[in-house]
Every structure is written in structure tokens, then in C-alpha cells.
Amino acid sequence: MLQLVYISSAVDKPDIAAILAVSRRNNARDGVTGLLYADGVRFLQALEGPADRVEAAFARIGRDPRHRAVVVLSRRTVDEREFGPWQMAHRAPGADGAMVMGQVAPLLSRTHANVRATFDGFMRINRAA
């Protein structure tokens, strides 16, 4: 099973609800899970699942004109899904960042230390925004 973590910048102000709806449908179809943290400016996402499906999802993301500066932060093989069946988290601009961190923290507790640090750092930086 492949776990891929990337970060990208949003172009303009994307319709996050539309992105979430399509992504959830595609991921359910393809057996891809993980965690998406979107703050309206950037996306930080971990994708987990069969390697070919994760790579296909990431290729779609790379072609999506709503993303720019897509950077892979890690790509590694995992024995089992570290994020379990979780699919997406979204923090709307102005929402309580501490509350979102509290909801995501249990998911991160099972992840590799580097993945956990990436999400923790990103969410802490954006908590007050």
C-alpha cells in the first residue's frame, strides 16, 4: 500500500465543497483514503491505498488547474492505512483552528512521526489564520 503526502497552493479561491464532493466520490470508488487539510489557500493531503490508485489520484491533482506548486513531501510504502478509513478534513477560513486540530489529532496519533509533524506544523501555522 502506498502513502503519498503532498502540499499545493490553491489558485484563486476554489470551491472547497465541490472539491470535497468529487474527491470523496473518486476516492471511495478507488479505495483511496487519507487526510486532506484545506485552509482555502493551501492543500495538505495524505493519500493511502493501492499504489496504482494513489498515483492516478495524484496525477489528477497535478493536472487540476485549481492547484499550483504541487510538491510531494513523502512517498512511502505502508503495511496498513495509518489514517484508517478517514477521508477528508476541511477548515473553512475563520473556523476555530484549535477545534480542527483536536479532531485531527487522534488520526495523526497512528501515523509515522514525520507525517504527524508535517500535519501538526501546518495546522499550527494556520490555526489563527
Side-chain angles (χ1 to χ4, degrees):
M1 181 166 310
L2 178 64
Q3 180 189 80
L4 187 146
V5 179
Y6 77 89
I7 191 166
S8 68
S9 295
V11 174
D12 299 321
K13 292 286 184 186
D15 180 350
I16 300 296
I19 290 172
L20 291 172
V22 171
S23 296
R24 287 178 175 140
R25 184 191 70 226
N26 290 343
N27 291 348
R29 176 196 68 213
D30 294 341
V32 174
T33 57
L35 174 63
L36 170 66
Y37 185 86
D39 65 5
V41 178
R42 282 172 296 293
F43 300 96
L44 176 62
Q45 184 168 29
L47 299 169
E48 296 178 326
D52 62 332
R53 301 299 182 141
V54 169
E55 295 289 3
F58 185 64
R60 281 192 306 273
I61 291 163
R63 291 188 304 269
D64 189 326
R66 296 172 293 192
H67 292 267
R68 64 180 169 80
V70 180
V71 177
V72 174
L73 300 176
S74 71
R75 179 184 270 123
R76 64 191 192 92
T77 300
V78 294
D79 293 330
E80 60 186 5
R81 296 173 195 267
E82 291 184 343
F83 290 94
W86 183 265
Q87 292 183 12
M88 310 240 177
H90 169 243
R91 176 180 177 244
D96 182 352
M99 180 194 67
V100 173
M101 287 179 67
Q103 292 172 336
V104 172
L107 299 170
L108 294 175
S109 68
R110 299 184 325 208
T111 64
H112 186 275
N114 293 343
V115 172
R116 187 170 46 254
T118 298
F119 276 92
D120 280 345
F122 185 77
M123 289 188 304
R124 286 183 198 291
I125 289 169
N126 292 293
R127 180 172 55 187

